[in-house]
Amino acid sequence: MGSGQSKPTLSTAATISAAPASPIQADATTNTSDVAVKAPESSGGCPVKLADGSYPSMSGFTSFFRHPPIDKKPEATTSATAAATKDTTSESPKQSSRPVQGPSRSKALSLFSRSGPGPGGDTTTKPQQYDVYSRPLKMDPTNNMPLANPDNLARNALPSKEQTVSLPTERVSSTIPKGGTDGETWTYPSPQMFWNSLARKGKLGDTKEEDMETVVAIHNNMNEGTWTKVLEWEEVIGEGAPKLSRFMGRPHDLSPKAFIKHHLLSHPLPFDRHDWTVVRPSGQEVRYVIDYYHDTALEKDDTSVEDLQIGRGGKVNSLLVDVRPAVDGPSELWARMVSMPLAIRGCASIVDCILGGGEGKEKKSEFEPLPMMPSDTLKQSMEESKRIWESIQKSAKEIVEEGKVCDSNEMEATITEADAKKMAESYATILKNCQDVKTQLKNCGSDAECNKAFMGMTICAGKVLCPLQHKSFAETLEGVGGGKELDEMATAKINIAFQNLGECVAGCDQKAGAAKKQYPHLFEKIVGK
């Protein structure tokens, strides 16, 4: 796809389904830091000393160095430690949340009209804003705006512990109006946010950082195309100017229509499912069910990444989308069985369609439904769609915990002698370059001293083991500068950057411990331990 880019494949589609479900606006759930953090005191000082003089306990070495005493005092807990237990994906700019009022449109029930049954009486609602998991955002009662979350903002902009190559943090706006706001649209995730989402869910697989440009472009284009289909439905059954209120990814749930298509009509399985809820001007909400399919035979006809940018009108031909209102009531059932079929033919009513020989004189809807029966090319994706579905179901049963310790036997099986040699050489470099902090760690006499020395060793080792995370942490500190009183955002960035560095070092240390167990002769020869 374009220069240096590959065509989207079903594995790429599966990667998209594991990431943010749709246009993503950052989560504004309250999680503000209440811990003051000091800037570096000196080249040998602790870079994140707490206001009470204590130091945070962080992940680091366990295989080669004595772990310091754990400070169990409540006041020594940092926001970084608390943030590690929270599910964070998003941020939210300031947005208006004024009530949208107005009567809902009533439609007369007529078996000869495509209008069908209406929603009933008038409604008056106050629109709510939601995060990417359809959770209501906490609002500031003084101005009806979402409360900012510094930890989430910081986490989204920083490289994860698994990352080795830096990624862009710039985000682009969609064309999809955001419910609960005046004139604002949903914002798509940056490549860095998308990577962090996959990493947090344990869904990276064989995805590489260089894949993110393609993945994000396809993700954004999929959602733009989905919204176009929603608007085509709303033009027939809605009341004009809908907004996307909230959405939810449901890749593990097979919709009734997808079930029938697959089990009765031999149609490939979808690689993803979304539920989007739109809000109409009257305040009425309508849920749409969306199934995404992949036609591998059409990959050769796919466009370039450049053509997928917002506003370019690009389309991934191999990705097919099936959009329809959920049957949550009689009006939605009527819309699917009568209203849209008549609109596609330009008929005002069933009688009009019969008299016109199946064609009416009104303007025809541009909506093109996916056929129930699979095309000849789509049939070729059947076996691959089954493999993807089985993988999705398997992942649904797995419990992915942040900081989860890998099985040692499984880890050892993945370590080659060449990898073990590189690890041993890295640790030899660390022992040579980090003698001072190693001595401090060995001779520390209190929890505070040991935590300080332990952090120093983690930072020193991180320069060798986790250069990207170390660079991110150093740049974060440099951006803060010395002697300044830190605000919540600066505090969050330091805490998260150090947490990512510590977890990366801890992961490398754990793997090195398994390598040392498997290849003791290498470590004895190179490291001397």
Side-chain angles (χ1 to χ4, degrees), residues 162-196:
E162 300 89 351
Q163 203 170 327
T164 59
V165 179
S166 61
L167 290 170
T169 58
E170 293 77 17
R171 304 173 65 184
V172 296
S173 296
S174 73
T175 63
I176 305 174
K178 188 174 192 296
T181 69
D182 293 328
E184 295 191 29
T185 61
W186 288 90
T187 307
Y188 287 124
S190 67
Q192 182 64 69
M193 290 177 67
F194 213 105
W195 175 274
N196 288 348

Side-chain angles (χ1 to χ4, degrees), residues 1 7-8 218 221-222 293-304 307-308 313-321 370 375 377-378:
M1 298 183 64
K7 294 284 186 179
I218 294 174
N221 186 266
M222 279 175 52
Y293 297 91
H294 183 258
D295 190 337
T296 55
L298 297 181
E299 286 182 358
K300 61 181 181 297
D301 300 323
D302 281 335
T303 186
S304 67
D307 292 333
L308 293 178
K315 181 179 183 294
V316 182
N317 295 306
S318 62
L319 299 181
L320 310 177
V321 57
L370 285 185
S375 64
T377 60
L378 196 56

